[in-house]
Amino acid sequence: MLNNFAPGRYRAPHQAQRPQEKHLLAIGGNAAAYLTFAALCTASFVYAFFADFLGGAGETARVVAIVSTAGLTMTGAAICLFRGLILASLISVAGLMSVFLFLYIFSINSGVPFTLNSGGEYIGLTFTGLFALTLQDRTYKKLMKWFYTLCVAYAFFYLAASAAVRIGLIDTGGVARAIVTADDAGRGNRLHSASLLLLYGTGYSIASLRARFSVGVLLLTGLFTLCWIATESRSITLLVLLTMLGYALIRNAARLGRMTFIVFAAGLAFSLMLIIDPDLNPFLYFGDQSASVRTNSIDIVSQSIQYYWLTGAGISFGVENYKPLTGITYFFPGDIGLIGIFYTYGVLGLLLYSWLCYLGCMSYRMVCDAIGDYTIATAVALTCIVYALYSLQSPQYNGGSSGSVFAMMLIALVLHLRRERSFRKRR
């Protein structure tokens, strides 16, 4: 039995070496990895709210980033089709089409006219094909190291920008989309964070320290720790701390993932009970504004889910959010965990989301099977473990956050390993 797939003990299934051709349509080489990294950079521009810091040109820059990301991911889908990765290609296109589908469902339910320029932050749902290409080319390992570099760069930016907001160098009114406003829990204005960049950076740093101690990596771990403190996001910061401590104690990412999924499954069952009996709502015991909004949101879902359980209410757009359906502006499905997934996407969406969380909790072995790299496998697993737990309060795989990129990566891993097993059987 493999114990945590320690370094050097496992290698990915062997394939015959292919010529390292450079063009995108060829199997092998770094071309697809460059394409994927470019898409990760443009998507990060959207999820990190960089456009908000560009003044009047910000909205144009945001649209350009969204369109560029879509162009890159759809190029990846086309290359997948050419190479015979048909399912990966179809899932990439379906991810894009699903955004318009749930925008349209909301339009039908609410009567708000459908607009094509909504839902740009859901662009992460289109990444399956690009990750599938890097797995086929055996450049996934290289890509994830590049991604760590992007995470480090973002951490420096986030700390600097957060400090600028706190001392008044940045006008918070001019970066409204990027700012979380002060609340009655004692938190001041603070920046939204691109959680995937901070999470993967933290996980990779911890995994690297476990593999081989380095003062440089220790300093980078401290950098990400400061970023989590700067976010002032209590729930996810606590989960990051607990997950990293759990890994330090158990020293087995695969086992930690299995334990996490048990907790997730229990949380899912409790979430469904909340719909039946809202009086079980744990937010009733907290007195701040955030808890009050979540309490009201759960009550609304409990009363109205009978109308949306099959197709979901859809993805809202416009300044009124879900007010056409609920009668109030302060209703946010993304803040009430799996109940919000059920409300937005219906029962099939809830099942799909739960499956993604399962894949995330089991991702350590999947990455090891695919590339045999302990550090990257641990970094991915720790990231996904936090996301699974955090999904009980704030889902991250459903497209509206940077975590959706990793959700599509998990699907690409499943498709790749399935293809590898089929290849071995034919041999």
Side-chain angles (χ1 to χ4, degrees):
M1 179 178 178
L2 293 174
N3 181 20
N4 204 30
F5 298 94
R9 295 189 60 180
Y10 186 82
R11 291 293 181 268
H14 173 74
Q15 278 193 335
Q17 294 294 318
R18 300 185 178 95
Q20 296 295 297
E21 299 183 61
K22 295 183 179 180
H23 60 84
L24 279 170
L25 298 179
I27 299 176
N30 295 325
Y34 291 137
L35 186 71
T36 307
F37 185 67
L40 287 171
C41 289
T42 54
S44 296
F45 185 91
V46 177
Y47 288 120
F49 303 97
F50 285 140
D52 274 31
F53 297 91
L54 300 179
E59 189 57 30
T60 299
R62 180 176 180 273
V63 172
V64 169
I66 292 170
V67 172
S68 298
T69 306
L72 292 167
T73 55
M74 289 303 100
T75 298
I79 297 170
C80 283
L81 192 62
F82 180 86
R83 292 191 185 181
L85 304 177
I86 298 174
L87 195 52
S89 177
L90 292 176
I91 291 174
S92 296
V93 176
L96 182 63
M97 293 298 102
S98 69
V99 179
F100 299 110
L101 171 63
F102 283 99
L103 287 170
Y104 183 65
I105 288 174
F106 175 76
S107 180
I108 292 175
N109 288 326
S110 66
V112 177
F114 174 75
T115 55
L116 280 174
N117 61 347
S118 302
E121 65 274 17
Y122 288 77
I123 197 64
L125 295 176
T126 62
F127 271 81
T128 301
L130 287 177
F131 280 113
L133 292 175
T134 62
L135 287 163
Q136 186 182 48
D137 289 343
R138 306 295 177 188
T139 55
Y140 173 80
K141 177 178 178 178
K142 185 178 297 185
L143 171 70
M144 298 309 288
K145 290 183 177 180
W146 295 347
F147 185 55
Y148 177 61
T149 302
L150 179 63
C151 294
V152 172
Y154 173 70
F156 279 110
F157 163 81
Y158 186 81
L159 270 186
S162 294
V165 168
R166 280 170 169 74
I167 64 178
L169 292 179
I170 294 179
D171 176 17
T172 57
V175 289
R177 202 193 320 250
I179 292 291
V180 185
T181 56
D183 57 28
D184 60 0
R187 297 177 294 181
N189 291 334
R190 58 204 186 277
L191 285 179
H192 274 294
S193 65
S195 61
L196 178 61
L197 296 171
L198 295 184
L199 260 182
Y200 183 75
T202 304
Y204 193 96
S205 298
I206 295 295
S208 297
L209 283 175
R210 163 82 190 280
R212 185 176 62 183
F213 179 82
S214 163
V215 174
V217 176
L218 181 63
L219 291 174
L220 291 177
T221 304
L223 170 69
F224 285 107
T225 301
L226 290 175
C227 287
W228 287 115
I229 295 172
T231 66
E232 294 192 53
S233 179
R234 297 164 297 186
S235 299
I236 191 170
T237 301
L238 177 61
L239 291 175
V240 170
L241 176 62
L242 291 176
T243 298
M244 301 309 160
L245 286 177
Y247 175 65
L249 292 173
I250 297 175
R251 302 177 68 85
N252 188 315
R255 184 182 303 164
L256 185 62
R258 292 192 294 271
M259 293 169 60
T260 298
F261 186 71
I262 293 173
V263 175
F264 173 83
L268 172 60
F270 180 72
S271 297
L272 296 177
M273 289 173 61
L274 277 182
I275 296 177
I276 300 171
D277 186 3
D279 289 338
L280 297 173
N281 188 351
F283 291 110
L284 289 170
Y285 301 99
F286 297 90
D288 60 25
Q289 182 181 358
S290 177
S292 176
V293 171
R294 287 184 168 95
T295 298
N296 291 336
S297 295
I298 290 173
D299 287 341
I300 289 171
V301 172
S302 178
Q303 295 167 18
S304 61
I305 193 64
Q306 58 183 311
Y307 306 114
Y308 308 120
W309 70 271
L310 183 58
T311 63
I315 301 171
S316 71
F317 52 89
V319 295
E320 292 188 320
N321 196 35
Y322 283 93
K323 186 175 182 179
L325 297 181
T326 64
I328 64 171
T329 303
Y330 296 103
F331 170 75
F332 306 105
D335 284 343
I336 52 175
L338 301 176
I339 298 173
I341 291 292
F342 192 11
Y343 179 86
T344 305
Y345 302 103
V347 64
L348 294 180
L350 178 62
L351 291 173
L352 176 59
Y353 192 92
S354 300
W355 178 65
L356 289 171
C357 287
Y358 169 78
L359 293 181
C361 291
M362 305 301 154
S363 60
Y364 181 85
R365 177 154 191 166
M366 290 199 300
V367 177
C368 282
D369 284 350
I371 63 172
D373 188 282
Y374 162 83
T375 301
I376 293 175
T378 302
V380 170
L382 293 177
T383 300
C384 294
I385 285 169
V386 174
Y387 273 150
L389 294 173
Y390 193 43
S391 291
L392 297 174
Q393 176 181 311
S394 181
Q396 301 293 302
Y397 287 149
N398 62 316
S401 77
S402 53
S404 58
V405 174
F406 260 34
M408 298 303 101
M409 182 191 72
L410 294 172
I411 294 176
L413 281 165
V414 169
L415 296 177
H416 174 76
L417 293 174
R418 178 184 175 187
R419 191 168 59 252
E420 288 287 299
R421 286 192 292 269
S422 177
F423 174 79
R424 288 197 298 269
K425 286 180 181 178
R426 288 199 300 270
R427 293 181 63 186

